[in-house]
Structures are given as C-alpha cells and as structure tokens.
C-alpha cells in the first residue's frame, strides 16, 4: 500500500472520529486504533491477520459497533462477516461454517462478498465448539482457513474480532472501582476461561466499560439526531425540542443492557409521533415535543 498524505491523515484522525461516534469507550478505542494503524501501515506480522482483538464487556456497550465502525473506516462499509457462535455449538454445525459438497460455508461466502478485505467477527466466542476453535487457531496463527471444499482462503489483509460476555458480571459489580482495576480482573477471568493457545495469539484484549447514566444521556441525543436525519431522508422534516431526550431516557435507560434499549426507545417514540401525525392528515414535518404525560412524543407543525 502506498502511504499517501490522505491515508496518513485519515489514520492519524481515526481515534478522534471513532470517539465522536462511540460514547464512553475512549480507552477501548485507543487500544483498537493502535493496532489498526499498525495493520494499515504494514507494520503487522505478514503471515497473520492485520490485527486480532478480544472484546470483553457487558452487552450493549459498543463491542459490535466499534467493529463495524473501524472496519468501515479502513475497508469500507458492509465488510464485517459476523459469525454468531451460538449457531456453532456442535461438531455437526462445522459444515455450516466451512462448507461441504452442497454449501460453500459462511466464511467463504463472507470472504467473497467482501472481496478478500474486511473483518471476521466471532460473536460470543465462549459458546463455540472446540472444533470451531481449532479453525480459529489456524486463522490467528497463519491467516489461513481451509474450507470444506478444500479451498484455502487468505486472511492476511483482514482483521479478526472475538467478542465475549466473559467478565460482564465483574464489570457491573466493580462499577465504582478504577477502570484499570476492573480491566485487570476481567482480563484475568478471560484468560482462565479461554483456551490458552488462542488467548496467547490475540494481539489486543480490550475491555469495555459499562455505560453510566451521563454517557447514556449523550447517546440518547446522538440517537435522536440520527433517527431524525434518517426520517428526513424518507421525506419527513423532523426536528427535536430540547426536552425530548429526557423522554427517551425515561423510556430507554437500562443499567444492565446498555444502549440497545435506548435505540429501541428512540425509534419507537420518534416513529410513533410521525405516524400519528401522518394518520391524522399531517405532513410528518415539524418539531417533536413531549406529550402531556411526559412519556410520549408528539409532532407540532413548525
């Protein structure tokens, strides 16, 4: 890869861009960006994936989102091949992953769809069958996967991400502790739970913090803005009153499940308000305000 000024500037600005999209996880973003920068600058081991990560932490804190975002930055949108390990808990399911005479396999399908460049995401790796972990070991060690059709796939231009909820309970229990203390204990727990030969080959073990109330408040504002922009692209000019985020937070804040309930609440409240306006003969344009009970939104003409 030729290191142009444009590429150099883009890589240098990567941490700041990701922190603007993913809230409350600055230490995790810094660790990931270091390895991604190494990979993109050609500094990583040539016979292995550009970088490999183990993402640890509670559900809904941004593990998958960070994977999607950094991949989109360096390889393009839609280049994450997500493999849910809950589907590969038995030896019989290995054919679904690697393929056989009748099917190409999920890994080969993703490889071809991404034109040989992207990220392999092994979601909830602790659920994988040992034979799936053998495939992962080959991938981490030599950037190669041999499919059920005896096709060898080269993943040296790819990133590999494993996610796990190992240590999630510890993160929640240590919410008042220093991040460094919590991170160390979660890493130790993961090292005990995962196969040593896999843990040793991971470039970076990244622990995600829980999302506190103030962080989720910022996330709520971001999500409302994104939803209004999405509806604007569909022809509804919707703007948000300053009091709207408080309604969304009341409906969507969840200390244990992170940002996912907030996204659900945002979409439901904004879309309900627009739908009610359209069904009443309105245009779907205007300002969102809290309803009388403070638990719903309504659309008022601008």
């Amino acid at each position: 890869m030729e290191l142009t000024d444009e590429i150099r500037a883009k890589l240098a600005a990567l941490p700041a861009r990701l922190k603007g999209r993913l809230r409350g996880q600055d230490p995790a973003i810094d660790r990931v960006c270091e390895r991604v920068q190494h990979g993109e600058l050609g500094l990583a081991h040539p016979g292995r994936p550009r970088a490999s990560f183990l993402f640890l932490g509670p559900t809904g804190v941004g593990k998958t989102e960070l994977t999607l975002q950094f991949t989109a930055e360096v390889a393009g949108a839609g280049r994450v091949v997500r493999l849910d390990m809950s589907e590969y808990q038995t030896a019989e399911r290995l054919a679904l992953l690697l393929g056989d005479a009748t099917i190409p396999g999920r890994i080969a399908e993703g490889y071809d769809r991404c034109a040989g460049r992207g990220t392999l995401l092994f979601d909830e790796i602790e659920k994988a069958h040992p034979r799936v972990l053998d495939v992962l070991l080959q991938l981490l060690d030599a950037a190669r996967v041999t499919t059920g059709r005896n096709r060898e796939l080269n993943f040296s231009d790819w990133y590999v991400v494993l996610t796990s909820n190992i240590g999630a309970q510890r993160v929640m229990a240590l919410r008042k502790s220093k991040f460094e203390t919590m991170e160390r204990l979660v890493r130790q727990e993961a090292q005990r739970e995962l196969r040593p030969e896999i843990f040793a080959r991971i470039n970076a073990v990244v622990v995600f913090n829980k999302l506190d109330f103030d962080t989720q408040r910022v996330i709520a504002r971001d999500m409302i803005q994104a939803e209004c922009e999405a509806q604007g692209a569909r022809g509804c000019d919707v703007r948000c009153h300053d009091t709207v985020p408080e309604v969304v937070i009341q409906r969507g804040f969840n200390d244990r499940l992170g940002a996912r309930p907030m996204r659900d609440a945002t979409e439901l409240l904004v879309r309900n308000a627009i739908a009610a306006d359209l069904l009443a003969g309105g245009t779907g344009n205007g300002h969102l305000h809290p309803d009388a009970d403070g638990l719903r939104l309504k659309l008022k003409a601008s």
Side-chain angles (χ1 to χ4, degrees):
M1 179 189 70
E2 181 184 357
L3 185 59
T4 65
D5 289 342
E6 181 182 0
I7 292 174
R8 185 182 291 108
K10 184 176 182 179
L11 289 174
L14 182 61
R17 285 202 304 277
L18 293 180
K19 289 173 184 177
R21 299 175 197 160
L22 193 70
R23 306 294 185 175
Q25 303 296 354
D26 287 5
I29 290 171
D30 286 336
R31 294 208 68 193
V32 169
C33 286
E34 287 175 351
R35 295 293 183 168
V36 170
Q37 288 167 341
H38 297 172
E40 294 304 300
L41 293 170
L43 304 177
H45 193 292
R48 294 176 184 162
R50 292 197 174 192
S52 56
F53 304 99
L54 173 60
F55 286 176
L56 301 169
T59 186
V61 296
K63 299 189 294 292
T64 299
E65 185 63 24
L66 180 53
T67 303
L68 294 171
Q69 291 291 344
F70 87 71
T71 304
E73 286 285 339
V74 299
R79 290 179 177 262
V80 173
V81 179
R82 184 173 180 175
L83 305 168
D84 185 348
M85 291 297 101
S86 65
E87 299 181 23
Y88 306 99
Q89 299 187 63
T90 64
E92 292 74 22
R93 300 290 286 178
L94 194 64
L96 180 63
L97 188 69
L98 295 179
D100 57 21
T102 60
I103 57 172
R106 296 276 177 82
I107 289 181
E109 288 175 341
Y111 185 90
D112 291 338
R113 174 175 60 81
C114 297
R117 175 89 161 98
T119 296
L120 271 178
L121 171 60
F122 293 80
D123 210 8
E124 295 189 286
I125 190 62
E126 69 274 15
K127 296 181 179 179
H129 188 271
R131 289 186 63 187
V132 174
L133 297 181
D134 291 340
V135 174
L136 175 60
L137 188 60
Q138 179 191 14
L139 173 65
L140 295 174
D141 206 33
R144 294 287 193 277
V145 170
T146 303
T147 72
R149 296 180 174 182
N150 206 32
R151 176 188 176 194
E152 188 178 83
L153 305 178
N154 181 357
F155 285 92
S156 58
D157 284 336
W158 287 63
Y159 295 89
V160 177
V161 175
L162 321 179
T163 73
S164 175
N165 290 327
I166 293 173
Q169 294 300 321
R170 191 177 291 274
V171 172
M172 302 304 294
L174 295 174
R175 67 187 69 186
K176 295 183 180 179
S177 301
K178 290 183 178 180
F179 177 79
E180 292 77 12
T181 300
M182 181 271 294
E183 181 182 39
R184 175 174 53 82
L185 294 173
V186 171
R187 284 172 58 92
Q188 290 174 354
E189 187 170 338
Q191 192 167 6
R192 288 193 298 268
E193 294 289 332
L194 295 176
R195 279 171 55 171
E197 62 270 33
I198 289 178
F199 193 88
R201 285 168 172 78
I202 296 294
N203 294 139
V205 179
V206 183
V207 179
F208 286 65
N209 211 345
K210 69 178 289 293
L211 300 176
D212 59 24
F213 183 82
D214 289 339
T215 301
Q216 290 208 40
R217 183 190 295 272
V218 176
I219 290 172
R221 293 181 181 277
D222 291 344
M223 288 181 172
I224 293 166
Q225 179 180 348
E227 180 64 20
C228 288
E229 290 175 356
Q231 295 303 329
R234 299 182 183 109
C236 297
D237 183 11
V238 180
R239 303 184 186 183
C240 180
H241 191 271
D242 291 342
T243 55
V244 166
E246 297 305 318
V247 179
V248 174
I249 291 166
Q250 286 184 59
R251 293 284 294 270
F253 176 76
N254 190 301
D255 188 51
R256 301 193 66 82
L257 298 180
R260 287 196 180 99
M262 193 75 72
R263 177 178 287 109
D264 293 341
T266 301
E267 293 175 354
L268 180 67
L269 289 167
V270 173
R271 294 174 191 180
N272 279 353
I274 297 172
D277 183 72
L278 291 172
L279 292 173
T283 62
N285 302 327
H287 281 79
L288 289 168
H289 289 262
D291 207 346
D293 61 7
L295 296 176
R296 288 184 293 274
L297 300 177
K298 60 183 177 181
L299 198 62
K300 295 182 179 179
S302 303

